Amino acid sequence: MAAIVEQQWDKSTLMSDTIGKKEIVQFLQENAAPRFLNEEKLQGSLKNVTKTSKKDHLTEAYLKLFEKQAFKGSEYDTVVEITAKVATMQVKQCKGKEEEEVHEEPKFKKIVLKKGDKQNFPKKGDKVSCYYTGKLENGTEFDSLQAGSKKKKNMPLSFKVGKGHVIKGWDEALMGMSVGEKAQITIEPEWAYGKSGKPEGKIPPNATLIFEVELLRI
């Protein structure tokens, strides 16, 4: 509960030579809520605030203190404290969610079939190009894009990695591959097409997918 503070000076007294800046600053720092002092830029040592503050600003701050009843322990002080606590809780919750996402257990396994250059790895947002073949666990091939013959060469699949343009298993696995690498990537349903599957692509619900992917360039 805030202590009762009486207004000692009126505006004319404050602006006169009777009351010095130091007295006003001292009164404000002793009685005003931290939030109020921060808003009025009156936090700091008594000496520095007195030196840098103008008399008319201190006068206005003094009168405003009583208008707003912005004293220590008042609702003016309590509201900001509660708001700050809520904001802190929200930040912690957000951080917790981020950490959960970052530390989510990978839903894919990778076996390197051909080593890459071990130097150039794609980052989120990089455009990558690759050839691939996709199969179900029973060996049924559902999709493929390969170089083709010399007479009829196929263009590789190109997309920005890590942006959700492909299934999550691809996004995550490719960011761990270097240019020239060829790998077998087994992706669990959660990071593939999940419970729905992809009927038009001959992929049943809850299917684990096996891809052979070659990262050509970034």
Side-chain angles (χ1 to χ4, degrees):
M1 184 176 177
I4 298 173
V5 181
E6 294 183 1
Q7 185 170 340
Q8 300 178 16
W9 312 301
D10 58 19
K11 187 172 183 179
S12 58
T13 305
L14 289 164
M15 292 301 293
S16 69
D17 295 332
T18 309
I19 305 297
K21 291 198 298 180
K22 184 177 179 181
E23 290 176 88
I24 304 173
V25 173
Q26 188 171 5
F27 179 91
L28 290 168
Q29 290 189 338
E30 288 177 356
N31 295 285
R35 175 188 171 191
F36 180 85
L37 293 173
N38 184 55
E39 289 173 349
E40 297 298 323
K41 296 180 173 56
L42 296 173
Q43 288 182 318
S45 69
L46 177 62
K47 183 178 179 181
N48 287 340
V49 175
T50 301
K51 184 178 179 180
T52 57
S53 299
K54 293 183 178 180
K55 186 74 175 287
D56 56 350
H57 172 63
L58 294 174
T59 299
E60 288 176 12
Y62 178 89
L63 297 172
K64 197 183 293 183
L65 172 67
F66 287 92
E67 287 174 14
K68 292 187 173 183
Q69 293 292 296
F71 303 109
K72 285 181 181 177
S74 66
E75 287 185 6
Y76 194 90
D77 204 12
T78 308
V79 169
V80 73
E81 186 179 340
I82 293 171
T83 304
K85 285 181 179 178
V86 171
T88 302
M89 288 172 66
Q90 289 174 339
V91 168
K92 285 182 178 178
Q93 287 172 355
C94 289
K95 283 184 177 178
K97 287 178 182 177
E98 287 173 3
E99 286 172 5
E100 283 176 14
E101 187 175 343
V102 170
H103 294 101
E104 184 179 355
E105 187 178 345
K107 303 293 183 183
F108 73 91
K109 291 179 182 178
K110 187 183 79 168
I111 299 173
V112 177
L113 303 176
K114 185 182 78 173
K115 292 181 180 179
D117 63 10
K118 293 289 184 182
Q119 293 182 352
N120 297 296
F121 294 85
K123 301 183 295 296
K124 187 175 181 179
D126 284 343
K127 188 176 182 180
V128 298
S129 297
C130 52
Y131 287 125
Y132 68 93
T133 296
K135 296 180 181 180
L136 302 177
E137 283 185 296
N138 62 10
T140 302
E141 184 178 303
F142 59 83
D143 196 8
S144 182
L145 178 60
Q146 297 298 326
S149 63
K150 289 183 179 179
K151 290 183 179 180
K152 189 179 180 182
K153 201 165 187 178
N154 295 320
M155 294 294 291
L157 174 69
S158 296
F159 61 94
K160 288 186 177 181
V161 72
K163 292 291 187 178
H165 298 308
V166 292
I167 57 176
K168 187 171 182 177
W170 264 59
D171 271 338
E172 296 295 329
L174 278 164
M175 286 191 284
M177 294 175 66
S178 60
V179 172
E181 183 176 331
K182 191 173 186 179
Q184 178 181 291
I185 304 167
T186 303
I187 304 173
E188 295 178 33
E190 293 89 338
W191 281 18
Y193 293 98
K195 296 178 181 179
S196 302
K198 191 179 181 184
E200 69 275 18
K202 300 178 183 178
I203 299 172
N206 298 311
T208 295
L209 307 181
I210 302 170
F211 290 93
E212 193 171 286
V213 181
E214 183 178 7
L215 178 59
L216 302 173
R217 57 180 173 269
I218 300 173

